[in-house]
Amino acid sequence: MLTPPEIVDVPAVPAAVIEIVVARTEMPRVMRPAIAELLGVLQAQGLRPSGPRFAHHLEITHEAFHFELGFPVEGTVTPAGRVRPGMLPAARIGRAVYTGPYPGLHAAWEAFDDALTADGWTLAPQVWEEYLTGPEGGGDPSTFRTRFNRPVSR
């Protein structure tokens, strides 16, 4: 299930990130250790996430994802290991929430993009997903909630 897209202006959001390039099939294997690494560095630096975990996709191909996995933070992140300061961009974005298991994300993104272009919006290539609820909370995958964000223009 996908909520109707809305258009909003968002400010830049400081974050702690790890840059990852991974084959699509390897995504589930790399996520959990990277999340643990991010949270460990934040804890060691006395910082906490100020919002949901996100994946800011810089490039998507049929074979691989190039993205920054991160958490928004208030405060200054000191580089440690793979963790470094990052930023979600200030932008006018299309935004919607997908409810369902992760294998349905691709089809939901296609429906989201189709709805935005049907309304006359031009889509930027970079996108980010915010994982509002997911496997870390346990439960039924059909209840996972992922917020889609794509910069748009007219």
Side-chain angles (χ1 to χ4, degrees), residues 43-56:
Q43 182 177 15
Q45 294 185 15
L47 300 170
R48 294 187 342 197
S50 60
R53 173 176 48 94
F54 65 83
H56 180 202

Side-chain angles (χ1 to χ4, degrees), residues 107-121:
W109 269 105
E110 286 182 346
F112 173 67
D113 288 346
D114 288 349
L116 290 172
T117 56
D119 283 344
W121 294 100

Side-chain angles (χ1 to χ4, degrees), residues 16 35 38-39 42-43 46-53 70-74:
I35 293 165
L38 277 162
L39 291 173
L42 290 179
Q43 182 177 15
L47 300 170
R48 294 187 342 197
S50 60
R53 173 176 48 94
F71 286 96
V73 294
E74 292 179 12

Side-chain angles (χ1 to χ4, degrees), residues 32-98:
R32 197 171 305 254
I35 293 165
E37 184 178 349
L38 277 162
L39 291 173
V41 168
L42 290 179
Q43 182 177 15
Q45 294 185 15
L47 300 170
R48 294 187 342 197
S50 60
R53 173 176 48 94
F54 65 83
H56 180 202
H57 290 271
L58 306 172
E59 183 180 13
I60 299 172
T61 68
H62 289 292
E63 297 80 30
F65 292 119
H66 176 198
F67 66 101
E68 294 175 327
L69 177 67
F71 286 96
V73 294
E74 292 179 12
T76 303
V77 176
T78 302
R82 297 188 301 163
V83 177
R84 64 175 179 75
M87 186 82 59
L88 287 174
R92 171 162 287 171
I93 62 169
R95 173 176 274 174
V97 175
Y98 163 71

